[in-house]
Amino acid sequence: MKVAVIGGTGLIGSAIVAHLSSRGHSVVAMSRTAGDADPKATPVDLNKATSPSYWVHCLGGVEAVVNCAGVLQDSPKDSTSMVHHHGIANLFAACEQLKIRRVIHFSAIGVDRETPSAFSETKLSGDKALMEHNLDWIILRPSVVIGRPAYGASALMRGLAALPAIPVMPNTGPLQIVLLEDVVRTVEHFLDPGAPTRKIVELVGPHRYSFLDVVALIRRWYRWPRAREVHLPKFASSVMYKFGDMTSLLGWRPPVRSNAEREIARGATGNLEDFQRLGLRPKGLPEFFASEPASVQERWFARMYLLKSAIFVVLSLFWISTVYVSLGPGWDYGVGLMREGGVEGSGAALTVVAGALADLVIGLAIAYRPTSRCGLYAAIVISFTYAIIGTFLVPRLWADPLGPMLKIWPIIVLHFVALAVLDDR
């Protein structure tokens, strides 16, 4: 069967693509990041899917569609309305037009009971749009999904598990964690031509946990001792969510944002009977952890997850702050070094100004996610350039243990670390 997977490079989508391909299906992964994440995938952008015709050229020969696309919150490049409702409504219309009967659509647990944010509101609207079409549809509503790969909430839980003191967020509802492998098995089940259609299935695990319980289970999986718990006041957690909103304006996708605050208060629980009627027995977290021992890579990821944010903040502020230093308190020092190296007159001042402006551009480029990689490479190049020029102009700086020549190397190393951890998935 030829299957198109929308969001085929995401956490759930990539697992579905890999599993169906291994079972002999012809799978077409479709994603906005197709060119970067998978050269074989087809590039599509739900934010631009303003009519059914957008999809027609992508779906030639396709017999079934699995839609895994989703975004947590509106941002300059993401629209929850387009990704969860209008864009996929046009996808469903195109499927009906092309007579692609089987459509499996991922929604979210609890949207039929409460819609506290634009995320769940638009998810529910997308569900209703699908049910209006004459298709053999299946709507899957998963809880928080955990598997070997990590992204979003599952990555955040791993990062929190690495802290010596675990912050306890206020107003978090219960969770019925569902395993990624069970989600994938459910999709395979409904792709069978004899499987029932026009059903809504809640994908949940067999046990209910608090958010803190899940983090504690992950920590135990890592074979680390139990950590202290620090209960955060509401204002502290609100600051964290607002900071997440601010970073999303720069193109980053942190899991801690305002919509997450509203959604997690509702919790993520559902009816296990849906799974049981399908003849599928979902695993619990303890079973998963027992069958998948945590590797050193897992522990590295957990320890680096929250450090990643700190690294990018430090590097961005470092380059931006050099503008103030170069043009303020360090002006005489910088101009003096230029003159010591033989750059006389206005040329010394212009060189310092040009260097300060270059540093500002690099700092802003690192802070903005779409240009962050280019900013890091530029920072490395200009750092080596400063070192080479400084060696020729003022070689005595190498003898100063607190001088710029020796301090530049730890900064260069930190840029390479940032490049290593830049990818989200």
Side-chain angles (χ1 to χ4, degrees):
M1 179 184 289
K2 186 174 182 180
V3 183
V5 180
I6 317 300
T9 58
L11 174 69
I12 296 175
S14 59
I16 292 171
V17 168
H19 182 79
L20 295 182
S21 297
S22 70
R23 294 304 179 96
H25 293 281
S26 173
V27 184
V28 182
M30 299 184 181
S31 170
R32 180 174 56 185
T33 59
D36 301 323
D38 185 354
K40 298 179 181 178
T42 301
V44 297
D45 188 348
L46 280 158
N47 294 287
K48 300 176 181 177
T50 55
S51 71
S53 61
Y54 178 88
W55 296 101
V56 171
H57 75 284
C58 304
L59 300 174
V62 168
E63 301 167 79
V65 169
V66 181
N67 174 46
C68 309
V71 294
L72 175 62
Q73 191 162 316
D74 290 328
S75 69
K77 294 185 69 175
D78 291 320
S79 164
T80 52
S81 177
M82 285 301 298
V83 174
H84 298 160
H85 181 200
H86 299 295
I88 59 166
N90 289 319
L91 169 65
F92 303 147
C95 289
E96 191 172 35
Q97 178 182 331
L98 296 171
K99 295 182 170 48
I100 302 171
R101 299 288 308 171
R102 183 74 51 151
V103 176
I104 300 174
H105 166 62
F106 276 86
S107 180
I109 196 77
V111 296
D112 57 327
R113 299 189 289 274
E114 185 181 352
T115 55
S117 73
F119 172 84
S120 49
E121 287 177 5
T122 53
K123 278 288 189 182
L124 182 60
S125 297
D127 295 355
K128 292 177 178 178
L130 176 56
M131 289 186 281
E132 291 172 357
H133 287 279
N134 181 25
L135 298 167
D136 294 334
W137 52 263
I138 295 293
I139 296 173
L140 302 180
R141 290 176 174 163
S143 176
V144 175
V145 179
I146 283 184
R148 264 299 186 185
Y151 181 73
S154 64
L156 175 63
M157 290 172 176
R158 283 166 159 90
L160 292 175
L163 296 176
I166 300 175
V168 181
M169 308 289 277
N171 302 324
T172 58
L175 307 172
Q176 278 178 268
I177 301 294
V178 62
L179 299 182
L180 181 59
E181 61 188 77
D182 289 326
V183 173
V184 172
R185 284 195 303 142
T186 306
V187 171
E188 184 183 27
H189 174 85
F190 281 111
L191 284 175
D192 188 291
T197 60
R198 295 179 172 258
K199 286 188 173 295
I200 299 175
V201 180
E202 295 185 338
L203 305 183
V204 294
H207 308 297
R208 287 194 178 201
Y209 300 103
S210 69
F211 189 93
L212 183 62
D213 290 337
V214 178
V215 174
L217 280 171
I218 294 173
R219 187 173 175 85
R220 195 180 310 158
W221 182 44
Y222 291 150
R223 300 189 296 277
W224 292 334
R226 187 174 182 85
R228 291 177 53 245
E229 299 170 8
V230 178
H231 291 262
L232 296 180
K234 185 169 176 52
F235 82 87
S237 63
S238 296
V239 169
M240 292 172 61
Y241 288 119
K242 294 299 181 186
F243 181 75
D245 290 344
M246 290 172 57
T247 58
S248 70
L249 297 177
L250 295 173
W252 301 90
R253 293 181 174 182
V256 180
R257 284 181 272 174
S258 296
N259 276 359
E261 180 182 20
R262 300 183 188 102
E263 294 292 331
I264 202 170
R266 180 189 62 196
T269 61
N271 188 356
L272 187 61
E273 292 178 1
D274 290 346
F275 253 142
Q276 294 169 337
R277 291 193 194 100
L278 300 175
L280 302 174
R281 190 185 73 84
K283 284 184 183 178
L285 272 181
E287 290 179 84
F288 170 71
F289 291 149
S291 63
E292 297 276 349
S295 63
V296 65
Q297 293 92 334
E298 283 281 358
R299 293 192 288 275
W300 278 24
F301 174 84
R303 290 186 175 116
M304 287 299 298
Y305 180 76
L306 295 177
L307 279 177
K308 173 182 175 179
S309 301
I311 288 171
F312 280 90
V313 169
V314 166
L315 290 179
S316 299
L317 293 179
F318 167 78
W319 286 101
I320 293 172
S321 66
T322 59
V323 178
Y324 167 74
V325 174
S326 298
L327 302 182
W331 173 261
D332 291 338
Y333 177 74
V335 172
L337 287 179
M338 289 296 102
R339 288 173 177 165
E340 182 180 343
V343 181
E344 299 294 341
S346 60
L350 288 174
T351 301
V352 173
V353 171
L357 293 178
D359 293 348
L360 176 62
V361 171
I362 287 173
L364 295 175
I366 292 173
Y368 186 52
R369 178 62 182 87
T371 60
S372 190
R373 188 179 300 276
C374 293
L376 291 170
Y377 280 122
I380 293 170
V381 169
I382 203 168
S383 295
F384 278 114
T385 302
Y386 287 158
I388 294 169
I389 293 175
T391 299
F392 282 104
L393 294 182
V394 194
R396 69 170 178 80
L397 291 175
W398 283 101
D400 184 353
L402 299 178
M405 290 303 186
L406 295 182
K407 290 191 292 186
I408 200 173
W409 301 108
I411 294 295
I412 290 175
V413 170
L414 195 59
H415 284 86
F416 280 110
V417 173
L419 283 170
V421 299
L422 179 59
D423 292 338
D424 294 319
R425 55 189 177 192

